[in-house]
Amino acid sequence: MSLDLYTPEVAALAAGNPFPDRLPDAQASVERRSPICGSRVTVDVAMDDDGRVARVGTLVRACLLGQASSTLLARNIVGRTPAELAAARDDLAAWLAGEGPAPTWPGLDIFAPGLKLTARHPSIRLAFEAAADAADQAAKAHA
């Protein structure tokens, strides 16, 4: 069953992060670590005057799933508000826990084969948890 999760599409996502470097002038940076596998994801954000993510940087030291999830986050984070990122984080967590529908964030359905593999869930959530917290911190600092 876990082999269904580790597909060529997931591997391609893992290698496709459009923002693989740290943001030197970030307004907030948050690192999240999975206690299960040790994967770590750091998300840096800079917000615009409208309170939306203007720029993002990442440092991803994670398994294939953490890398793929980070790519999906990075591809779609610019222009999002802290509230949208918190909703995406919460929707992803609920879906993985079997407590909600598939998230609307683009591409996350690729992880559907892993829904019953709960040991993999923390790695999939890392980037979204870090991004939501970083955007919230940056918005509070900017206010």
Side-chain angles (χ1 to χ4, degrees):
M1 176 157 58
S2 70
L3 293 179
D4 295 338
L5 182 58
Y6 294 93
T7 63
E9 292 81 14
V10 170
L13 271 176
N17 187 337
F19 302 106
D21 299 313
R22 299 291 306 267
L23 195 61
D25 57 345
Q27 293 171 323
S29 298
V30 172
E31 179 184 271
R32 287 290 175 261
R33 181 183 164 282
S34 170
I36 294 174
C37 67
S39 289
R40 289 183 291 154
V41 173
T42 303
V43 176
D44 305 319
V45 297
M47 309 298 277
D48 65 19
D49 291 335
D50 294 325
R52 295 181 176 276
V53 175
R55 291 176 292 115
V56 63
T58 63
L59 177 60
V60 181
R61 293 185 187 129
C63 65
L64 192 71
L65 300 177
Q67 292 174 40
S69 182
S70 296
T71 295
L72 291 175
L73 172 88
R75 285 182 178 173
N76 297 285
I77 189 174
V78 173
R80 302 283 183 146
T81 66
E84 290 172 319
L85 293 171
R89 174 201 60 208
D90 297 346
D91 291 349
L92 176 59
W95 178 60
L96 290 171
E99 299 171 357
T104 58
W105 193 274
L108 286 176
D109 58 331
I110 199 165
F111 298 118
L115 288 174
K116 294 187 181 196
L117 302 171
T118 57
R120 306 297 192 269
H121 295 178
S123 293
I124 295 169
R125 292 191 319 257
L126 288 176
F128 286 84
E129 291 171 353
D133 290 349
D136 184 58
Q137 287 179 19
K140 287 178 180 172
H142 192 61

